[in-house]
Amino acid sequence: MEESARRYIGEIQSVVGVTACALVSSEGRILGKHFPEGDLTSSLFAAMCATVLASAEAACGSVDVERPCLVAVASADAAILIVSAGEATLITAVIDKSADLPTVQRQLLDIAARIGEEEA
C-alpha cells in the first residue's frame, strides 16, 4: 500500500483547491500525507478525522441511514473533507475557501472509489 499511497497522495494533492491531505486508516493512522512544511499536527488531524467519520457512521446507524461516504466540515476560511475509501481507508483533505467544493468532492469520491477497488 505504501507505493500506491504515495501515488494517491500525489493525485489528491493535484486536485485544485486541496491545500493539505492525508490517507488515513479507519483507526486514524497516517498511510500517506502532504502537509505544508513544518506542520506537526498531521497525526492529530488524521486521528480527529477518523473520529469524525466514526461519529457520523454512528449517527447514521442510530437513525437507520446508510454509512456515509463523505463528511464535510465547513468554516469561513476553508473546508475539511473526509471521504470513505473502502472499509479501512479514508481520504482527508483541507480545501481552500476559493475552491469549487462540489467539483473537489466529485474528484475525491472518484479517487476514493479506485482506492476501495484496490483494497477489495
Side-chain angles (χ1 to χ4, degrees):
M1 177 73 174
E2 195 172 308
E3 183 180 320
S4 55
R6 279 194 298 271
R7 184 178 75 247
Y8 285 122
I9 286 296
E11 193 173 342
I12 295 162
Q13 157 185 359
S14 72
V15 172
V16 174
V18 172
T19 60
C21 62
L23 279 180
V24 178
S25 73
S26 55
E27 296 85 30
R29 185 174 49 87
I30 294 178
L31 306 172
K33 67 180 182 172
H34 169 74
F35 275 76
E37 288 297 318
D39 190 338
L40 302 176
T41 63
S42 57
S43 294
L44 178 61
F45 175 77
M48 292 300 102
C49 285
T51 301
V52 168
L53 185 62
S55 296
E57 288 173 349
C60 288
S62 72
V63 291
D64 201 29
V65 171
E66 210 172 298
R67 181 178 186 244
C69 60
L70 183 144
V71 174
V73 178
S75 74
D77 62 341
I80 296 172
L81 296 180
I82 307 162
V83 184
S84 181
E87 289 297 315
T89 307
L90 316 173
I91 295 172
T92 62
V94 178
I95 314 301
D96 183 78
K97 68 178 179 179
S98 65
D100 178 20
L101 202 52
T103 298
V104 174
Q105 287 177 346
R106 276 192 307 277
Q107 291 173 312
L108 294 183
L109 285 166
D110 287 346
I111 296 168
R114 284 188 272 122
I115 292 170
E117 288 170 6
E118 190 173 302
E119 242 183 40

